[in-house]
Amino acid sequence: MELHPSSRVTAADRPARSARPPAQGPRREAARGPAAAPPLPPAGDDDALASLPARLARALDVPANGGVPFEQLCRRIAPPVRRTSMAPRRWPPVIWPWRRNGDGNGNGNGRRRARGTPPQPRRLDGFGRRSMLTLLTFGQTVLATWSMTAVLPYHGSRPMEIAVLILFALLFFWVSAGFWTAIMGFFVLLTGRDRHAISATAAPDAPLPEDARTAIVMPICNEDVARVFAGLAATHASLARAGGLAHFDFFVLSDTNDPDVRADEMRAWLALCREHGAFGHFFYRWRRNRIKRKSGNLADFCRRWGSRYRYMIVLDADSVMSGECLTRLVQLMEANPRAGIIQTAPRTSGRETLHARIQQFANRVYGPLFTAGLHFWQLGEAHYWGHNAIIRLAPFIRHCALGRLRRRLGNVEILSHDFVEAALMRRAGWAVWIAYDLPGSHEEMPPNLLDELQRDRRWCQGNLINSQLLFAEGLHPAHRVVFATGVMAYLSAPLWFLFLLLSTLLLAIQTLVPPQYFVVPYQLFPVWPEWNHRWAIMLFSATASLLFAPKVLSALLLLRRGAGGYGGALRMAASTLAEALYSALLAPIRMLFHTRFVIATLAGWEIKWTSPSRDNSETTWREAIGKHGGHTLLGLLWAGGVYWLNPAFLGWLLPVVGALIVSIPLSVFSSRVSLGRALRRAGFFLIPEETSPPYEVRCLQQALERSPPPGGFAAVVVDPRVNAVACAIARRPRLNRPAGRFDAALAGGPEALDRQRKLDLLDDPVSLWRLHRQVGAIDDPYPEWRKAMERTHAPA
């Protein structure tokens, strides 16, 4: 291992080792310890800190004789702080639903706008379109509910049947809204003409002003380091290819509290900057106070450096964006001075498990239809999904700070911050748009069903918390609908489950209880209770048509444009049918999981927010049995009970109970990488990012292949460059160092240190430097450190 000259200990400086006969076997290992190699003279705090500028200069590729001050060297890790205030104004918002628009400060008078923002155009267009959506959805729901009364035995006249009708109306309204959204998206994409498209408001060759500085920020927390920095390297390479690097800076905003992952982050950041010559515009920031999770991390960036930039592009840990897409977003912001947020529609790719490949195919085929439909209804009051979007920083800092929400049992943090930030931005008079037709925005799907459900649990909790803001003062009606939609996305599961249970209970009552022919007082003619199977078939067919029509329309659009990137017309059609069957099987499974998530959230059960899996992880049989065993048992008992009551009714319930019965093998086999790769070789579930991968996706794969294995905490000790960076990032020297910690680390190696001791060392530049100096001075390192050197590719 080559150390910096200032840290190299020569033979003259090193105390002579005492002569001792070579030990054999275990005795030699027992002899290894602090006494086996006399330690170097202890380095004082002043010595350790005095050597840091020279070591940091070498780590950052600055000439040693350049005389660069230490403060300027640290600016290559993070730029100088320029403080600005970002605090919530009048929080929590007042619940005054009758006041539509506020002034951005919570005053809610409906007339004043945020300073510097012109009036919003196209308001009548948005109101007309949303009114049309409401009429179509309500009309269709009323017709379907009236048809449902003909199916029920007593035609909706009994209390339980009334409850069934109410649940049916809510669920059908939800399905109908999705159907009409897809229909409008189909016509937008079919005609190719959209006079309100935000992407058509700027010329592709419009120059970027010199002062239009943009920060590309990626908040991370205990993520897969190789995947994070491979995605950043691909985005950086694509931006350099597009010639836009001069206008962008990159920030890695780390909330990581795992010392091994944190060490790998510093090592990967240093390697990326050295490889691409990115020092000075590719920065790394580690946050000690991890408050408010991702939203707090972004707010911390805004307070420190937000005033240095006009725009901020937020990436997720699995995001990759092309240079053309990044520059295009800035062009659109410059051409639309009233735009506060422009959200892209990310395309999913990069996974190889069967489940992920099916979801990638569905996102690529059906996603454009729904995002175009959302844009048709929402216009400048659109969604913001928290990543792969550009934000105008000045109004974001002024109006989008988040506080806690009050609850009976205590305050609670806003978790799904993106919906709230979009609503606050629009409340302040700034538009939020979806650039649904802008290519070059990518992300990844969860590799298996259980990981996807784990992500859904976090989203469920966040959306239900946001329901407290549904009637907050000053919000635009469109964003109230966004909040309601987020709640309904998960509340529909327990409603559907309750609807099925009540339907089964109605069947049991009709079978086991003698019928009543006179159900109201003074009834002249009897009512003959019976299930109307003909109307039931008609209603079931109509509902299935609403659910599967968007899939058919999406396939027709692809056939019209050419399905070469999807394996050809026949394979694409077969993949669409298989995806429809797979989604039908997953729907009851998701129903039970989402029902449990809603109940857990409403009950106040704590949910641990962990980073999702970023690799092709597979589900084991043990995991599947533990997660789906109860569902399988419920499906068997439910099917048996319905068959005992009325065998003819089992056919109606079979799509639900049958999926629950096969949930265990379905979850296991759908997570297999081998099945996903086999279908890819056969040409099924293909997407254009696989058949003709764009430049940034190819760069991502190449960067992943070049990624070194994780080194963990040992990399900070044995690698002199990483050690110098870690010492520069660490706090000032600790005054009270726990006794014996340094000797234990030296003798036992990194495995002898627990999590907290590693964190303490990472926060103490003196102890970190002493440990690096002592290990590097030993001719024959301790076995534990020798293994660490081999793992980190640092030659001894």
Side-chain angles (χ1 to χ4, degrees):
M1 177 180 66
E2 184 181 4
L3 296 175
H4 191 274
S6 63
S7 63
R8 171 68 68 180
V9 181
T10 62
D13 298 328
R14 185 185 302 118
R17 295 192 183 189
S18 58
R20 64 182 189 273
Q24 303 293 331
R27 295 180 57 191
R28 185 177 189 273
E29 293 297 328
R32 307 285 297 197
L40 292 170
D45 292 5
D46 294 338
D47 296 335
L49 298 180
S51 67
L52 182 56
R55 295 188 291 118
L56 185 61
R58 182 179 182 186
L60 303 181
D61 290 340
V62 175
N65 56 357
V68 180
F70 180 69
E71 291 76 10
Q72 292 188 15
L73 292 175
C74 291
R75 292 177 183 179
R76 289 176 164 243
I77 303 175
V81 174
R82 185 188 296 174
R83 291 281 183 182
T84 187
S85 175
M86 185 177 180
R89 300 170 181 269
R90 192 174 182 179
W91 192 270
V94 181
I95 308 302
W96 287 341
W98 53 87
R99 299 197 177 189
R100 174 180 171 180
N101 291 320
D103 63 350
N105 295 319
N107 296 325
N109 56 24
R111 294 181 180 180
R112 297 170 56 193
R113 295 185 304 273
R115 202 166 38 183
T117 59
Q120 293 295 322
R122 303 162 181 154
R123 183 173 297 171
L124 291 179
D125 289 345
F127 177 77
R129 291 182 176 188
R130 287 187 279 268
S131 298
M132 181 174 62
L133 172 64
T134 303
L135 292 175
L136 290 172
T137 305
F138 266 110
Q140 199 173 46
T141 302
V142 170
L143 180 61
T145 306
W146 175 79
S147 301
M148 186 64 183
T149 60
V151 175
L152 298 175
Y154 293 96
H155 310 301
S157 60
R158 306 303 299 271
M160 189 171 293
E161 291 188 350
I162 294 175
V164 169
L165 288 175
I166 293 174
L167 292 173
F168 176 82
L170 291 173
L171 294 170
F172 194 91
F173 184 88
W174 174 248
V175 173
S176 179
F179 168 77
W180 288 113
T181 298
I183 291 296
M184 292 300 106
F186 172 75
F187 283 112
V188 168
L189 297 179
L190 181 65
T191 59
R193 294 189 301 271
D194 185 0
R195 62 191 179 96
H196 294 316
I198 189 70
S199 57
T201 57
D205 56 350
L208 300 183
E210 292 296 330
D211 58 346
R213 300 287 300 165
T214 302
I216 301 174
V217 302
M218 178 180 283
I220 58 175
C221 181
N222 299 322
E223 298 284 354
D224 182 349
V225 176
R227 174 59 185 84
V228 165
F229 284 88
L232 288 171
T235 302
H236 183 275
S238 180
L239 189 58
R241 185 171 182 246
L245 277 180
H247 298 87
F248 295 86
D249 287 335
F250 288 77
F251 286 82
V252 179
L253 309 176
S254 175
D255 269 356
T256 297
N257 62 352
D258 186 317
D260 294 308
V261 178
R262 180 177 157 194
D264 285 334
E265 289 173 359
M266 291 185 285
R267 182 186 179 206
W269 169 82
L270 185 61
L272 188 150
C273 290
R274 289 172 59 87
E275 179 181 356
H276 295 276
F279 290 113
H281 77 94
F282 204 118
F283 304 109
Y284 176 82
R285 150 79 172 160
W286 178 72
R287 190 169 66 128
R288 290 179 174 85
N289 300 318
R290 304 170 58 216
I291 59 173
K292 297 185 181 179
R293 296 184 175 88
K294 182 179 177 179
S295 63
N297 203 351
L298 291 175
D300 179 78
F301 165 82
C302 291
R303 294 187 187 99
R304 288 173 170 267
W305 300 295
S307 60
R308 302 175 64 94
Y309 300 93
R310 184 177 297 177
Y311 307 116
M312 172 177 67
I313 295 178
V314 183
L315 301 182
D316 213 352
D318 58 355
S319 297
V320 177
M321 297 186 72
S322 68
E324 293 80 4
C325 182
L326 294 171
T327 55
R328 188 72 180 139
L329 286 174
V330 178
Q331 291 171 344
L332 296 178
M333 275 292 195
E334 288 293 308
N336 296 272
R338 67 181 64 83
I341 301 175
I342 299 179
Q343 171 70 62
T344 66
R347 298 171 178 175
T348 57
S349 62
R351 294 290 193 214
E352 294 187 292
T353 63
L354 177 59
H355 175 81
R357 287 184 50 75
I358 295 176
Q359 300 306 310
Q360 289 170 179
F361 177 83
N363 171 272
R364 196 65 172 85
V365 176
Y366 318 138
L369 207 69
F370 285 97
T371 52
L374 285 175
H375 173 268
F376 182 87
W377 303 122
Q378 295 176 336
L379 295 181
E381 291 82 32
H383 280 73
Y384 165 50
W385 293 309
H387 59 91
N388 292 40
I390 188 170
I391 299 173
R392 194 179 298 270
L393 271 171
F396 183 81
I397 293 173
R398 179 175 176 80
H399 302 291
C400 297
L402 303 179
R404 293 173 177 265
L405 295 177
R406 295 174 182 173
R407 262 190 175 182
R408 183 172 55 87
L409 300 179
N411 296 341
V412 63
E413 293 180 359
I414 292 178
L415 302 178
S416 294
H417 60 94
D418 37 19
F419 285 9
V420 181
E421 289 162 351
L424 295 178
M425 183 72 82
R426 181 61 188 89
R427 184 181 73 167
W430 300 85
V432 182
W433 292 91
I434 296 180
Y436 65 92
D437 54 350
L438 194 63
S441 179
H442 309 275
E443 64 175 347
E444 291 179 349
M445 295 294 297
N448 56 66
L449 177 59
L450 294 182
D451 284 341
E452 178 188 305
L453 291 169
Q454 180 184 3
R455 180 195 65 179
D456 285 351
R457 185 176 185 182
R458 300 193 304 269
W459 288 359
C460 174
Q461 185 188 31
N463 285 332
L464 292 182
I465 289 174
N466 288 349
S467 66
Q468 300 182 53
L469 298 172
L470 184 61
F471 300 109
E473 172 198 9
L475 297 187
H476 193 280
H479 283 287
R480 300 189 196 276
V481 174
V482 169
F483 287 146
T485 301
V487 173
M488 193 60 186
Y490 295 96
L491 191 61
S492 60
L495 294 180
W496 183 25
F497 186 47
L498 184 59
F499 172 78
L500 293 174
L501 290 180
L502 289 180
S503 301
T504 306
L505 185 58
L506 278 177
L507 173 66
I509 292 175
Q510 186 188 15
T511 305
L512 302 177
V513 178
Q516 297 182 13
Y517 301 103
F518 296 90
V519 295
V520 295
Y522 309 108
Q523 182 177 331
L524 297 179
F525 303 100
V527 174
W528 302 96
E530 63 175 347
W531 295 93
N532 193 324
H533 293 85
R534 184 173 62 87
W535 278 91
I537 293 174
M538 293 173 56
L539 190 58
F540 176 81
S541 302
T543 306
S545 299
L546 298 186
L547 291 171
F548 293 104
K551 301 178 185 291
V552 176
L553 295 177
S554 300
L556 292 177
L557 277 177
L558 288 181
L559 291 175
R560 182 174 178 266
R561 298 177 178 180
Y566 301 87
L570 291 178
R571 288 186 176 89
M572 189 272 294
S575 299
T576 302
L577 291 175
E579 189 281 331
L581 175 61
Y582 183 68
S583 63
L585 289 174
L586 291 187
I589 301 173
R590 290 191 176 115
M591 174 191 70
L592 291 185
F593 274 102
H594 289 179
T595 299
R596 191 179 69 185
F597 298 162
V598 171
I599 295 174
T601 302
L602 296 179
W605 298 344
E606 184 178 358
I607 297 176
K608 185 178 180 181
W609 281 55
T610 57
S611 298
S613 176
R614 303 294 181 189
D615 57 3
N616 292 307
S617 58
E618 298 183 345
T619 302
T620 64
W621 286 98
R622 180 187 296 272
E623 291 174 335
I625 293 173
K627 297 293 185 179
H628 301 287
H631 302 164
T632 302
L633 182 60
L634 175 62
L636 291 171
L637 294 176
W638 201 347
V642 169
Y643 183 81
W644 175 71
L645 291 172
N646 187 347
F649 195 77
L650 182 60
W652 294 98
L653 198 60
L654 189 60
V656 174
V657 295
L660 298 179
I661 292 172
V662 301
S663 59
I664 293 177
L666 183 67
S667 182
V668 171
F669 288 117
S670 65
S671 71
R672 294 293 180 253
V673 174
S674 58
L675 291 177
R677 290 174 177 171
L679 288 174
R680 177 178 178 177
R681 289 191 296 269
F684 295 101
F685 302 115
L686 286 177
I687 56 177
E689 284 73 17
E690 294 173 330
T691 55
S692 300
Y695 176 77
E696 60 273 12
V697 174
R698 297 199 305 270
C699 288
L700 171 63
Q701 296 301 322
Q702 294 169 3
L704 283 173
E705 293 172 359
R706 296 194 308 267
S707 298
F713 175 79
V716 177
V717 177
V718 303
D719 191 320
R721 294 184 174 89
V722 181
N723 183 269
V725 171
C727 290
I729 294 176
R731 292 179 176 179
R732 295 181 178 180
R734 297 173 63 94
L735 298 179
N736 299 317
R737 300 185 180 97
R741 182 185 60 193
F742 178 83
D743 295 336
L746 183 63
E751 303 301 328
L753 300 173
D754 59 19
R755 181 191 187 102
Q756 187 57 48
R757 289 189 176 184
K758 290 179 181 179
L759 289 173
D760 291 341
L761 284 169
L762 286 175
D763 274 346
D764 186 0
V766 173
S767 296
L768 205 59
W769 162 233
R770 286 183 58 200
L771 189 59
H772 165 69
R773 180 171 176 261
Q774 190 72 43
V775 170
I778 301 174
D779 293 331
D780 185 16
Y782 299 104
E784 294 78 7
W785 289 111
R786 189 189 310 116
K787 295 176 184 177
M789 292 176 184
E790 294 172 354
R791 288 198 305 268
T792 56
H793 298 276

